[in-house]
Amino acid sequence: MGSSEAVVEEFKSCMMRQFEMTDLGLLHYFLGLEVNQSANGIFISQSKYAADLLKRFKMMNCKPASTPMNVNESLKANDGTGSASSKYFRSMIGGLNYLSHTRPDIAFSVSVVSRFMHSPSMHHLGAAKTILCYIVGTVDFGIWYSRVSNFKLCGFTDSDWASCLDGGKSTSGHVFSLGSGVISWSSKKQEIVTLSSSEAEYVAATAAVCQAIWLRRLLTDFYQIQEGATQVFCDNRATISMARNPAFHSRTKHIDIRYHFIRNLVVEGTIEM
């Protein structure tokens, strides 16, 4: 038995001496989450929940979609396609939101359709059903965590520009991995209207960096101290340059000052863009 297994066994025996409890063995199923543990790693999915969700909305036999949302599709509040049942739509979006706990591939599309729960249209309902059609062909998808020795936190960030047709706001997205699998992801409409794609990417990068700092502190509590800077990858050169070079301040004065703290973290060596 390895040292880590010995520590776990000692902890369990100590807990059982202190409290009245029963050892049920390895975790396999919890609140819709399926956990498959093996010697090589852990696979987390929601296959049964996804299948039940499809059955609830009678989508089991529909044609699978290759993507959760049509390419370049934009939704707006008043699209003239008629009203859909709010109760039915909210139930569908609630189920998709819970499914996204192990499905980062649907996070963006679910966040987009979630914006219209107060007054959904038939077009919004069609977009939500497209996500279900995608799930039909990907019921068994999940997250695989393989056994690794180096738990290095790494992040990716991206943003569209002015995709919201009702307010002109952009959507930020980021994902962080630790070792082999993703542990944190987000897709959210930005709070401000940005004046350029570079500014939208900069705001998205700032949100990702905030998450990176929180994850670093959380990992420290778990005795997984991150040595060196956490790398955050971005596909916009202007954003990387703004984060690295304070001399660009005259060109970026219109950006809210709260988004510039990313520069201090780069200088300190906490974050590397």
Side-chain angles (χ1 to χ4, degrees):
M1 181 181 295
S3 58
S4 59
E5 288 84 354
V7 171
V8 171
E9 289 299 326
E10 176 62 26
F11 176 75
K12 288 199 302 184
S13 61
C14 180
M15 290 288 290
M16 294 179 74
R17 289 194 300 268
Q18 189 71 23
F19 303 100
E20 183 178 345
M21 58 186 297
T22 303
D23 183 8
L24 299 178
L26 294 177
L27 174 66
H28 295 288
Y29 193 83
F30 180 74
L31 296 178
L33 273 69
E34 300 170 46
V35 183
N36 186 0
Q37 304 186 52
S38 66
N40 297 322
I42 301 174
F43 182 71
I44 300 178
S45 66
Q46 291 171 281
S47 300
K48 185 179 183 303
Y49 180 83
D52 292 341
L53 188 66
L54 294 172
K55 290 178 182 177
R56 190 199 314 172
F57 296 103
K58 299 179 174 60
M59 298 287 289
M60 280 294 293
N61 299 320
C62 68
K63 182 179 179 181
S66 58
T67 58
M69 178 173 277
N70 296 328
V71 179
N72 298 325
E73 181 176 20
S74 297
L75 304 178
K76 59 181 181 180
N78 300 314
D79 53 21
T81 60
S83 300
S85 171
S86 297
K87 182 179 180 180
Y88 182 80
F89 186 78
R90 289 169 185 166
S91 178
M92 184 179 295
I93 298 305
L96 289 171
N97 266 315
Y98 192 75
L99 182 61
S100 66
H101 288 345
T102 59
R103 296 290 299 270
D105 53 330
I106 65 172
F108 170 75
S109 52
V110 172
S111 72
V112 171
V113 296
S114 296
R115 301 171 188 173
F116 307 99
M117 286 198 293
H118 61 287
S119 182
S121 69
M122 296 303 296
H123 185 53
H124 303 148
L125 180 60
K129 286 186 175 181
T130 299
I131 303 175
L132 289 175
C133 290
Y134 171 74
I135 294 172
V136 169
T138 60
V139 170
D140 296 326
F141 277 22
I143 306 175
W144 168 253
Y145 299 99
S146 61
R147 297 191 66 168
V148 295
S149 57
N150 181 23
F151 288 95
K152 186 68 175 176
L153 185 66
C154 177
F156 297 84
T157 177
D158 199 3
S159 172
D160 60 14
W161 183 42
S163 61
C164 178
L165 300 180
D166 296 310
K169 295 181 179 180
S170 307
T171 301
S172 298
H174 63 251
V175 60
F176 284 89
S177 63
L178 182 66
S180 61
V182 295
I183 61 169
S184 175
W185 55 90
S186 172
S187 179
K188 184 179 180 181
K189 185 167 66 174
Q190 295 180 359
E191 298 178 356
I192 64 173
V193 177
T194 53
L195 303 181
S196 66
S197 59
S198 296
E199 183 182 352
E201 295 270 9
Y202 192 67
V203 172
T206 303
V209 166
C210 289
Q211 185 70 3
I213 297 302
W214 182 81
L215 288 171
R216 285 173 64 96
R217 293 172 179 171
L218 183 65
L219 290 170
T220 299
D221 292 338
F222 294 149
Y223 303 102
Q224 294 291 335
I225 300 174
Q226 296 295 297
E227 301 292 343
T230 296
Q231 291 183 323
V232 178
F233 292 89
C234 174
D235 62 355
N236 187 280
R237 290 185 178 274
T239 297
I240 298 174
S241 298
M242 283 190 289
R244 290 178 175 176
N245 191 355
F248 282 158
H249 180 63
S250 60
R251 302 182 187 179
T252 58
K253 288 179 95 172
H254 64 284
I255 302 177
D256 196 316
I257 192 66
R258 61 180 167 169
Y259 295 110
H260 284 309
F261 89 103
I262 186 176
R263 294 173 173 173
N264 296 330
L265 296 172
V266 172
V267 172
E268 293 171 359
T270 304
I271 299 294
E272 179 186 354
M273 293 295 298

